[in-house]
Amino acid sequence: MPTKEYALYTLANTMLGTMSLLSDGGISTGVMALGGKVWEDKKKLGIVLSTGLNLRKKFAFFSLIVAVPILAYLLLHHGASILATVLIITALIPAFYAALSDSLLEIILKLHQDIRPLQENQIKVSVLRLTISALTVFLFPFTFIAIWAAGIPRILGNIKLRKIAGKFTETSNEIDLGVQKEIFKIVKGILPGAIYYCLAGQLTVWLISVFGNTTNIAEVGALGRLSMLLGVISTMFSILIVPRFARTKESGKALLKRYLFILATMLVILSGITFIVMLFPSQLLWVLGNKYANLEKELVYVMIGSCANVLMGLALSLYTSRGWIINPVYAIILSVLPIISGIFIFDLTKISGVLKLNIFIAVSEFMIHFVFGFFKTWSVEKE
């Protein structure tokens, strides 16, 4: 894609992630935590799922109201025409619609560790997306076409996913007010942090869109494509490890050891990947083409920051899967401090400075969630 179109594509995908995070607000965490307690009962698990889906639809409306005007402004600010802006926003709807339910449906399969159908469905979606993209991107190298190519396969995969999850739940649209209340307790603890992370989690793109230019956004977006390879590892842990941690009946030292072992294993894997990237940056950049061949240092920064974010996400997922929620006021205060200090430390007019800030924030976030998770599992040991 042309540099300008890829920059717009990066902005749109960034906003899609923000919209998905806002529309969730902790609902998926609540479904995982409550589902982990009743995962062997098809009727109760079905009620938890339907209650969660109902809440997500309500949250989605407010997410659109907040996100669409911001995205429209950013697209217009970076040179998109009014027509292109409308087409891009419209193209986001299918992917956003699918995101409302697929993350919750996947929880059912993860809790039952029915991994093969889940992986087969994900592979089919990826292959279909690649096929459509390959057939359209060279003939129609436009942002909204690329977004459609990603959204349509996701909707089709979502339909299949609903059928697969139906093996473990009784089909019902029943909403349980007691379950809804329990989910809301978790949402109240997570939503303020989710709103904050909508801003902080995409800070790299936001800062570059303000201080940089269209080319800078495209460069960060392209480097981010390479770091998405980490998604394979992150997905594997979220499918195989986190659900088992959520439903385990272990307590005491056994639970604490499991928590530390999982994080240590991920740290070793991510360290190995980072080392490989540091050894062969030019070879990896070859995949992106000549336009990005001079970004070796930036690639290493992006990979380190991405690894730190993956590790932070795992620490967060582990303890929230047990229904443990850190006080959002404390979490936000502790998270804002490194951002404020980092703004004065790093030169944000350069891509390297923004990427260093991202690493600084990610490592700080990991320490917050690791310490909280450690003491929560430690408190279980003391009970």
Side-chain angles (χ1 to χ4, degrees):
M1 295 176 67
T3 301
K4 179 181 176 180
E5 289 293 330
Y6 197 76
L8 299 179
Y9 179 76
T10 300
L11 286 173
N13 264 327
T14 299
M15 187 55 71
L16 177 60
T18 299
M19 291 162 60
S20 299
L21 190 58
L22 278 176
S23 66
D24 183 271
I27 295 173
S28 59
T29 301
V31 172
M32 173 68 82
L34 296 178
K37 299 176 182 178
V38 299
W39 66 280
E40 295 176 300
D41 189 315
K42 294 180 66 175
K43 182 177 181 179
K44 291 182 179 179
L45 187 59
I47 291 174
V48 170
L49 176 62
S50 60
T51 303
L53 289 171
N54 182 63
L55 286 174
R56 286 212 72 173
K57 290 177 182 178
K58 295 177 180 178
F59 277 47
F61 175 75
F62 296 101
S63 174
L64 286 171
I65 291 177
V66 172
V68 169
I70 297 174
L71 176 58
Y73 168 78
L74 290 174
L75 292 173
L76 292 170
H77 177 70
H78 285 280
S81 65
I82 295 178
L83 176 60
T85 300
V86 172
L87 290 173
I88 291 170
I89 292 174
T90 303
L92 280 178
I93 301 302
F96 179 61
Y97 175 79
L100 294 180
S101 55
D102 62 3
S103 60
L104 297 185
L105 293 169
E106 287 179 358
I107 290 174
I108 306 302
L109 302 181
K110 291 175 182 178
L111 287 172
H112 283 270
Q113 289 295 280
D114 193 18
I115 306 305
R116 183 173 178 177
L118 176 59
Q119 290 180 325
E120 288 178 351
N121 188 59
Q122 290 174 336
I123 291 172
K124 289 177 181 178
V125 170
S126 298
V127 171
L128 182 58
R129 175 181 177 179
L130 178 61
T131 302
I132 296 176
S133 297
L135 292 174
T136 58
V137 71
F138 295 106
L139 296 176
F140 309 101
F142 303 111
T143 301
F144 74 94
I145 296 293
I147 295 173
W148 274 111
I152 294 175
R154 193 168 181 181
I155 286 183
L156 297 176
N158 192 280
I159 295 173
K160 179 64 175 179
L161 188 61
R162 189 178 292 272
K163 294 180 180 178
I164 299 172
K167 296 188 301 182
F168 305 106
T169 62
E170 290 187 6
T171 304
S172 171
N173 293 320
E174 182 181 351
I175 308 301
D176 186 286
L177 295 180
V179 172
Q180 182 172 283
K181 183 178 180 181
E182 290 300 313
I183 293 178
F184 262 126
K185 286 182 181 179
I186 295 176
V187 169
K188 287 179 182 178
I190 290 181
L191 184 57
I195 294 173
Y196 164 77
Y197 285 121
C198 283
L199 300 174
Q202 308 293 344
L203 189 63
T204 300
V205 174
W206 301 143
L207 288 174
I208 291 176
S209 67
V210 173
F211 294 102
N213 52 46
T214 302
T215 300
N216 296 149
I217 297 175
E219 290 173 345
V220 171
L223 294 175
R225 298 300 100 183
L226 291 178
S227 67
M228 285 182 67
L229 295 174
L230 296 175
V232 176
I233 298 171
S234 180
T235 299
M236 180 184 70
F237 272 73
S238 69
I239 291 175
L240 298 176
I241 307 301
V242 174
R244 295 186 182 189
F245 191 80
R247 72 185 196 188
T248 182
K249 293 180 171 59
E250 289 180 338
S251 60
K253 291 183 178 180
L255 183 63
L256 182 60
K257 287 181 179 179
R258 181 185 287 255
Y259 174 76
L260 294 175
F261 178 76
I262 292 171
L263 290 176
T265 301
M266 178 64 92
L267 178 61
V268 170
I269 294 173
L270 295 176
S271 298
I273 293 173
T274 302
F275 182 69
I276 292 174
V277 172
M278 294 175 69
L279 289 179
F280 306 105
S282 58
Q283 287 82 355
L284 292 170
L285 288 171
W286 175 82
V287 177
L288 301 178
N290 294 329
K291 292 185 293 185
Y292 306 102
N294 62 333
L295 299 176
E296 295 185 2
K297 179 176 64 176
E298 287 78 6
L299 174 61
V300 174
Y301 290 153
V302 166
M303 192 59 64
I304 294 174
S306 298
C307 287
N309 275 309
V310 168
L311 194 60
M312 179 273 291
L314 178 60
L316 174 63
S317 297
L318 286 173
Y319 72 72
T320 55
S321 72
R322 305 284 296 184
W324 300 331
I325 308 299
I326 189 172
N327 188 309
V329 175
Y330 298 149
I332 292 174
I333 291 175
L334 291 174
S335 298
V336 167
L337 290 177
I339 293 177
I340 295 175
S341 57
I343 288 175
F344 292 100
I345 295 173
F346 304 106
D347 183 0
L348 302 183
T349 61
K350 298 179 181 179
I351 293 182
S352 59
V354 176
L355 296 178
K356 289 177 182 177
L357 174 62
N358 183 53
I359 295 172
F360 184 65
I361 294 172
V363 172
S364 301
E365 292 284 351
F366 167 69
M367 293 305 300
I368 293 170
H369 295 298
F370 168 73
V371 171
F372 179 78
F374 179 90
F375 279 106
K376 287 300 295 186
T377 51
W378 181 264
S379 67
V380 172
E381 180 183 7
K382 292 296 184 181
E383 291 175 0

